[in-house]
Structure formats: structure tokens, C-alpha cells
């Protein structure tokens, strides 16, 4: 019998481990009472939701919620290569990320895909490269990598997109082992590698990265996750305890390292402020990061997922410094007080109480976590009661994103899964290397598993890794791009939102940062009122469509839209009599363009 988590919390506290307090015990106790007191609810959640209509509600399904766009139709023929070797280098297991970005500012989302490449332990022949696919505006894409000059040049990991120089064109930061690359967008369909001049190489093994304005000076700064060092000289030899065969090492054998924070100087260069900001004080093994505002103070905080050590919640102190409050906030460890294998993260106000909640994925037997914000810089793990825990217990998650796939006004949940060890099935039953995608519908009370009606792509098993969301066909239904370790990516076209109305907004800051990261968007349509914070980053190694799609369901009019721009602006722009079912650009202080 598996004992409730409050038993472990109490016993570990009695042993004086992990700094457990009375509040940790009470939080774990409360969560378990909620979980163990709702057996009928949990039994209902154990089964997939009945087939849904095109609007995402129970009934007779007339088409899948997402349709896979085959490569023969999309023109995306690129594939990821992991470089699997007999030396079991850990980066071979992690896969790579992807991005939606409008690199040529034509109003249509293009696609960037990251691949492995030459480094001290891998020299592929023929050489591998990343891929930039230009959107042809007809559902197809054309490879523009060579012309654009963004092929990469190392063992690639992820991508982060942001307009760091305020010229109106999105720039591209590619994380890699052994060093990263900053591509400045030239505005003519090409990019220039300005890494050395900018000072953001971040040597070592970088994973996810995020653009955000931590000091509210109107310029985008850069946070880069560092996992550790696992190159040729640092590689460890590990064996499977049961078979004695060589296997990929669990990351516990690698030392902790610090991540980077780079301050934007406004002249095309950056200053490494990792030490003076307090970021470097927290040593971890970082995978995913999201910039969000957990205490509604107008300053962006950072939630960082760590592998085999505690997660970080970097609270922005408004004076250029951060402090990690992960332990006292309740997001550092599991409910049992154990470190887990955190990989993907995201943040959204899923229950519309005005406060940002958090999500983190982990490996099998560790459970994923939905952390509900308690409004006092603490969080409760609600994964069980909200319907995600039992379904994901034996799965390993990577990409994750909250977004409103059916435009009913509630943010739903998309998960990309797959075990890191390709030999896991040989020595552990009930756990698979390749696992299905998961789609959950937010009912306003729980997250319901809708895989049964999500489409054939959700019935196949994948070595899934990255997830980016974006509306590539401009129909207002947010689509998804999934990367596969050692395989072709999946482009999933959203058909679930047909019949529901929406407004897409592209925010352009002037005094605020150009990407409007941290803007608070409020919209009202009749009885529906919703608020959304524009976060940055989230998921795993991936970057997303910068536009926000505001769903209103069957309502046919948006009565009011309010944009509260991030500091240093703080300006509030309000609009009435808005159009629906189209995209608009809103420039700070200048209205709808």
C-alpha cells in the first residue's frame, strides 16, 4: 500500500531533513485529504472524457480536436537526430525544442526547429543543421535556413525569441552544448550571429532560455538555464542495477551548476549579472523556465524546473536582485519532500482568481504538479484533485503549455511525454519509452482528459520532447508543434475552436518592453470576463506565438478590452466596440493599428 504523502512529510520532519515545517505538513495533509476524500471524482477522471463536439463539449464528435498535418502537405521534411552512441552521453536523451516566430513580419507564423550538431563528443557526417521554415500562407512551408543564416553550430537544445534591440523584428537565441548563439534579425529575411559582440555565449550545457524585462527598464533581458557539464571529459559510466549493462546516468551523478542572467545594456550588448542579482547563488540542473508574476507586484519572477534537485522560484525583489523562495513557497519538492526530475514548466491563472498558478512535469512515478497560488507567495499542489495526477503517474513529461484550445475562455492543458531512457521497458514494467500526448479540457472545476476525441496523433506513442504553440494558419485556433527525440516533428492543426469566437491581439510596447512581456489583458463579453498575464517562455526548450488569442465562446461581441502595460509604462489602454474573429495589433498609447 502506498502511504499518503503527509506521512512522509511528518517522518522526514522528525528526522530533521529538508527543513520541513508545520506549514509543509499541513499543506501535504490538506492536499491528501482532498485527494482521498474524492474517490468518485477520481474514478471519473481515470477514464478519458466522452467524445467531444467541435466546440470541446461532450457529445458526438464530428472531427478530431487536432489534425496532424503530414510532411507531404506541409513541406516540413526536416528530422531531429539524437546522435545515439555507445558512450551514452546524456544530451542524447534530451531531444530539442522548437519555436513559432514571425521572422519576416508578414503576419504569419514561421517555424524554427533545433537539431543536434558537432561538439566534442559528436561529429555527424554529413553535418546536421537546424531548420527555419517560412510560412507560405497556404498551409505549406519553405525551408529558408541557408538564406536566413540560422543553421546553428553545436549540439542544439532550444530556442528563445524576442526583440532585444527594439527594431520591430524578432531575434533568435539558440541554446546549445558547448555554447549558445544569438542571431540578430536584420529585417530583410536574414540574421547575423552577434553572440560574441553581445556577450551571451553562455558556455557549457545550456537548455531553456527566456526573454523578459526583470528590472522594468523597457528592454528585454535574458535568462539562460544551465543543466550542467556532460561533454566528453565529464561523461560518467553508469550501469543498470538489474542487468549490469551500461545505461544513461541518472543526473544525480552530475554536480549542480548556476544559470545565467544577462542584463540588456541597450546598445546591442549584455552584462552578465548572475552573481550580483543572486541567481548564481542557487545551484541546480535546470531544464525549463517561465517568466511570470506570482505576487502581482508588477515585477517578473522566474519558475525553474530542476532535474533531481529542488526547483527554484526566483522572486524578483525590485532592486535588481532575486531570492529563491522555492522551499517556503511549496514548489521546490514533491508533497513527500523529495526532489524530482523537473523538466517542463508553465504558468497561467487557470482558475481565474487573479493570481498566476504554476505547472511542472516530472518523470514516471513522481507525478506532475499543478500548483495553485494561495495569494501569499505559497502554493498548494492540486494535481490529484484537478484530474491530472493519476493519468500521468507512470509517464514522463517534457513540453507543457496552458492555452485555450477551444476558445471558450478557459485555459486548457497540453502535455508532451516520453521517457528519457530508451531501454526503460527492459527493466521496468508499466513504463514506456514512447508515450502519448495528453490534452486536458478545463471545465472550470477540473481538467478532463479529452484524448479520446483529440485525434489520431494522440493515440500514437512518441519520444516527445518540445512543445510550441502558435496559430500558423491565422484562423484563431491555436495550433501546436511537437518535437520528437530522433524523429520528425508533429505539426497539429487545431479544429476544436471552430464555431467559437475570438480576438487575436499582437501587443507592441513603446515605453514598456517591445514584446509586452508582463502585460495584463482583461476582456469582457457579456457574462464572460477574463484576465490573462502575458508570460514569457514556458514549456521545454521552446518558444511560442507572441500573439494572445482571447476566446469568448459562442458570444458574438467583445464589450471591453483593457491592456495594462508592464512597467516602466504602467499605462492602461481601454477599447470598446471591438471586431471579432480577426487579429489586431495594439501599439502602446497609439491604439489599434
Amino acid at each position: 500500500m502506498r502511504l499518503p504523502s503527509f506521512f512522509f512529510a511528518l517522518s522526514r520532519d522528525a528526522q530533521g531533513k529538508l527543513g520541513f515545517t508545520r506549514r509543509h505538513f499541513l499543506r501535504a495533509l490538506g492536499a491528501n485529504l482532498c485527494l482521498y476524500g474524492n474517490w468518485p471524482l477520481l474514478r471519473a477522471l481515470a477514464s478519458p472524457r466522452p467524445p467531444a463536439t467541435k466546440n470541446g463539449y461532450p457529445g458526438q464528435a464530428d472531427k478530431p480536436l487536432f489534425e496532424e498535418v503530414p510532411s507531404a502537405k506541409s513541406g516540413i521534411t526536416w528530422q531531429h537526430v539524437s546522435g545515439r552512441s555507445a558512450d551514452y552521453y546524456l544530451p542524447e536523451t534530451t531531444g530539442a525544442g522548437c519555436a513559432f516566430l514571425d521572422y519576416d513580419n508578414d503576419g504569419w507564423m514561421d517555424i524554427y526547429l533545433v537539431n543536434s550538431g558537432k561538439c566534442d563528443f559528436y561529429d555527424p557526417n554529413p553535418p546536421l543543421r537546424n531548420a527555419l521554415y517560412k510560412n507560405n500562407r497556404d498551409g505549406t512551408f519553405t525551408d529558408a535556413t541557408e538564406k536566413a543564416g540560422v543553421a546553428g553550430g553545436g549540439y542544439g537544445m532550444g530556442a528563445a525569441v524576442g526583440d532585444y534591440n527594439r527594431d520591430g523584428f524578432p531575434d533568435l537565441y539558440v541554446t546549445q552544448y558547448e555554447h549558445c548563439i544569438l542571431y540578430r534579425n536584420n529585417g530583410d529575411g536574414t540574421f547575423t550571429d552577434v553572440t560574441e559582440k553581445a556577450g551571451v555565449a553562455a558556455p557549457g550545457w545550456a537548455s531553456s532560455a527566456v526573454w523578459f524585462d526583470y528590472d522594468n527598464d523597457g528592454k528585454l533581458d535574458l535568462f539562460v538555464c544551465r543543466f550542467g557539464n556532460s561533454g566528453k571529459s565529464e561523461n560518467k559510466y553508469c550501469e543498470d542495477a538489474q542487468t549490469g549493462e551500461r545505461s544513461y546516468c541518472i543526473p544525480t551523478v552530475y554536480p549542480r551548476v548556476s544559470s545565467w542572467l544577462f542584463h540588456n545594456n541597450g546598445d546591442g550588448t549584455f552584462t552578465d549579472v548572475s552573481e550580483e542579482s543572486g541567481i548564481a547563488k542557487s545551484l541546480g540542473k535546470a531544464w525549463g523556465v517561465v517568466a511570470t508574476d506570482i505576487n502581482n507586484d508588477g515585477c517578473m519572477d522566474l519558475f525553474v524546473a530542476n532535474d533531481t534537485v529542488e526547483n527554484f522560484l526566483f522572486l524578483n525583489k525590485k532592486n535588481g536582485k532575486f531570492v529563491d523562495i522555492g522551499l517556503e513557497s511549496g514548489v521546490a519538492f514533491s508533497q513527500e519532500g523529495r526532489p524530482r526530475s523537473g523538466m517542463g514548466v508553465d504558468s497561467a491563472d487557470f482558475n481565474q482568481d487573479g493570481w498566476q498558478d504554476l505547472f511542472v512535469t516530472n518523470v514516471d512515478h513522481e507525478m506532475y504538479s499543478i500548483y495553485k497560488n494561495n495569494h501569499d507567495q505559497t502554493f498548494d499542489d492540486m494535481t490529484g484533485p484537478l484530474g491530472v495526477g493519476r493519468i500521468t503517474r507512470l509517464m514522463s513529461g517534457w513540453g507543457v503549455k496552458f492555452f485555450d484550445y477551444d476558445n471558450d475562455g478557459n485555459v486548457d492543458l497540453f502535455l508532451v511525454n516520453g521517457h528519457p531512457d530508451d531501454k526503460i521497458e527492459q527493466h521496468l514494467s508499466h513504463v514506456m519509452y514512447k508515450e502519448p500526448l495528453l490534452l486536458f479540457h478545463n471545465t472550470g472545476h477540473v481538467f478532463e482528459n479529452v484524448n479520446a476525441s483529440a485525434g489520431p496523433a494522440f493515440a500514437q506513442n512518441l519520444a516527445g520532447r518540445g512543445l510550441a504553440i502558435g496559430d500558423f494558419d491565422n484562423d484563431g485556433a491555436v495550433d501546436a508543434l511537437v518535437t520528437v527525440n530522433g524523429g520528425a516533428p508533429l505539426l497539429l492543426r487545431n479544429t476544436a475552436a471552430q464555431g467559437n469566437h475570438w480576438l487575436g491581439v499582437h501587443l507592441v510596447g513603446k515605453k514598456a518592453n517591445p514584446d509586452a512581456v508582463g502585460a495584463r489583458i482583461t476582456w469582457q463579453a457579456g457574462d464572460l470576463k477574463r484576465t490573462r498575464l502575458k508570460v514569457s517562455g514556458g514549456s521545454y526548450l521552446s518558444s511560442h506565438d507572441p500573439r494572445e488569442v482571447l476566446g469568448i465562446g459562442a458570444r458574438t461581441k467583445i464589450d471591453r478590452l483593457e491592456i495594462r502595460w508592464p512597467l516602466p509604462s504602467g499605462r492602461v489602454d481601454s477599447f470598446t466596440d471591438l471586431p471579432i474573429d480577426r487579429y489586431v495589433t495594439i501599439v502602446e498609447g497609439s491604439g489599434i493599428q
Side-chain angles (χ1 to χ4, degrees):
M1 176 181 176
R2 186 171 184 267
L3 293 173
S5 63
F6 62 79
F7 172 85
F8 292 101
L10 179 61
S11 64
R12 292 179 73 82
D13 189 29
Q15 297 169 24
K17 296 182 179 179
L18 300 179
F20 249 54
T21 64
R22 179 175 178 270
R23 186 172 75 244
H24 288 87
F25 167 70
L26 291 175
R27 181 179 294 124
L29 175 61
N32 279 277
L33 287 177
C34 184
L35 175 62
Y36 285 88
N38 283 279
W39 288 114
L41 172 63
L42 291 179
R43 280 197 296 270
L45 292 172
S47 301
R49 187 172 169 218
T53 67
K54 62 184 179 182
N55 291 331
Y57 296 100
Q60 182 63 41
D62 47 12
K63 64 169 56 178
L65 303 179
F66 285 84
E67 295 177 342
E68 182 177 354
V69 182
S71 61
K73 182 177 180 180
S74 69
I76 299 174
T77 58
W78 175 97
Q79 293 197 35
H80 179 262
V81 178
S82 67
R84 178 74 161 80
S85 72
D87 292 315
Y88 289 81
Y89 293 102
L90 200 57
E92 298 166 2
T93 70
T94 62
C98 55
F100 278 111
L101 75 162
D102 182 9
Y103 81 95
D104 52 359
N105 278 359
D106 66 351
W108 294 75
M109 286 295 117
D110 310 299
I111 285 174
Y112 190 71
L113 297 156
V114 181
N115 212 343
S116 309
K118 185 176 181 179
C119 64
D120 64 359
F121 66 82
Y122 186 49
D123 189 5
N125 186 20
L128 301 174
R129 65 171 175 84
N130 302 341
L132 175 66
Y133 280 96
K134 175 178 170 54
N135 192 326
N136 297 324
R137 312 184 196 182
D138 60 1
T140 69
F141 295 81
T142 298
D143 190 332
T145 314
E146 298 301 330
K147 179 181 177 181
V150 289
Y155 198 98
M157 287 283 117
V161 179
D163 181 10
Y164 79 89
N165 57 356
R166 302 190 69 106
D167 66 353
F169 288 88
D171 307 297
L172 177 63
Y173 188 74
V174 181
T175 59
Q176 303 183 140
Y177 174 81
E178 302 166 277
H179 67 82
C180 302
I181 301 174
L182 175 59
Y183 289 115
R184 186 192 67 213
N185 193 326
N186 298 321
D188 60 359
T190 69
F191 292 77
T192 298
D193 182 344
V194 296
T195 313
E196 184 175 355
K197 176 186 176 182
V200 290
W205 183 5
S207 51
S208 294
V210 63
W211 294 99
F212 75 123
D213 182 9
Y214 79 88
D215 56 351
N216 286 337
D217 65 353
K219 300 185 292 289
L220 288 176
D221 309 300
L222 179 65
F223 178 88
V224 183
C225 291
R226 185 181 178 194
F227 179 79
N229 295 312
S230 184
K232 191 168 186 177
S233 62
E234 295 89 0
N235 196 36
K236 309 285 187 182
Y237 183 92
C238 296
E239 292 182 349
D240 180 84
Q242 297 180 1
T243 66
E245 296 178 346
R246 184 168 186 177
S247 63
Y248 287 108
C249 293
I250 297 174
T252 51
V253 303
Y254 292 100
R256 297 173 178 236
V257 292
S258 60
S259 292
W260 294 275
L261 179 62
F262 296 101
H263 178 260
N264 189 334
N265 299 323
D267 59 0
T269 69
F270 292 77
T271 299
D272 184 349
V273 294
S274 308
E275 292 287 346
E276 62 193 74
S277 67
I279 292 294
K281 292 180 181 178
S282 298
L283 304 181
K285 303 171 188 181
W287 279 130
V289 59
V290 62
T292 185
D293 182 2
I294 62 121
N295 56 356
N296 287 343
D297 66 351
C299 294
M300 299 300 281
D301 312 300
L302 294 168
F303 181 44
V304 179
N306 282 310
D307 197 345
T308 69
V309 300
E310 70 277 9
N311 299 323
F312 300 147
L313 182 56
F314 288 118
L315 185 71
N316 192 327
K317 301 297 288 183
K318 304 182 185 181
N319 57 358
K321 297 185 182 300
F322 291 82
V323 59
D324 176 24
I325 62 167
L327 179 61
E328 51 265 47
S329 70
V331 302
F333 298 100
S334 70
Q335 291 186 26
E336 294 85 5
R338 299 188 178 102
R340 295 182 290 183
S341 299
M343 292 179 285
V345 296
D346 200 23
S347 177
D349 181 9
F350 73 81
N351 57 358
Q352 281 296 299
D353 65 353
W355 297 76
Q356 290 294 108
D357 309 298
L358 304 172
F359 194 100
V360 61
T361 61
N362 300 291
V363 300
D364 63 282
H365 293 87
E366 291 184 348
M367 304 277 277
Y368 305 172
S369 285
I370 302 178
Y371 289 112
K372 182 179 73 68
N373 194 321
N374 295 324
H375 313 173
D376 60 0
Q377 296 180 180
T378 70
F379 294 79
D380 284 334
D381 189 341
M382 302 296 290
T383 312
L386 287 174
V388 178
R390 183 169 181 174
I391 299 170
T392 61
R393 183 175 176 269
L394 296 178
M395 304 183 78
S396 299
W398 304 80
V400 53
K401 202 66 184 158
F402 285 110
F403 71 105
D404 182 7
Y405 74 79
D406 57 353
N407 284 344
D408 67 351
N410 294 329
V411 290
D412 310 299
L413 183 63
F414 194 120
L415 292 167
V416 174
N417 309 287
H419 202 279
D421 184 359
D422 59 2
K423 291 186 176 181
I424 188 65
E425 296 169 42
Q426 297 179 16
H427 55 264
L428 193 61
S429 61
H430 308 299
V431 176
M432 300 182 297
Y433 172 59
K434 295 182 177 181
E435 299 173 344
L437 306 171
L438 288 175
L439 184 66
F440 293 89
H441 183 261
N442 184 348
T443 69
H445 303 286
V446 296
F447 285 92
E448 291 185 342
N449 178 10
V450 293
N451 267 38
S453 54
F458 292 78
Q460 60 181 301
N461 292 333
L462 308 166
R465 295 297 186 263
L467 166 67
I469 61 167
D471 183 9
F472 75 85
D473 54 1
N474 280 351
D475 65 352
V478 179
D479 311 301
L481 179 65
V482 176
T483 62
V484 175
N485 192 29
L490 273 72
L491 180 61
L492 302 176
R493 180 176 177 269
N494 182 339
T495 64
Q498 295 176 7
N500 280 345
H501 296 293
W502 55 279
L503 174 66
V505 294
H506 178 210
L507 301 181
V508 179
K510 289 301 182 181
K511 188 175 181 181
N513 70 81
D515 291 357
V517 175
R520 195 168 292 274
I521 307 166
T522 302
W523 69 102
Q524 185 164 2
D527 61 331
L528 179 77
K529 185 176 181 180
R530 292 290 184 266
T531 298
R532 183 180 300 169
L533 180 75
K534 193 174 192 301
V535 304
S536 185
S539 191
Y540 171 78
L541 306 179
S542 300
S543 194
H544 315 281
D545 189 334
R547 303 171 298 180
E548 296 288 340
V549 177
L550 315 178
I552 59 172
R555 301 162 188 85
T556 58
K557 179 184 178 183
I558 294 180
D559 300 305
R560 181 178 175 83
L561 172 66
E562 179 182 285
I563 311 296
R564 184 175 295 275
W565 297 89
L567 297 172
S569 170
R571 178 188 175 94
V572 177
D573 288 334
S574 299
F575 307 91
T576 56
D577 298 322
L578 291 150
I580 60 170
D581 300 339
R582 69 194 66 182
Y583 282 98
V584 297
T585 296
I586 300 178
V587 179
E588 178 189 347
S590 300
I592 296 177
Q593 305 294 304

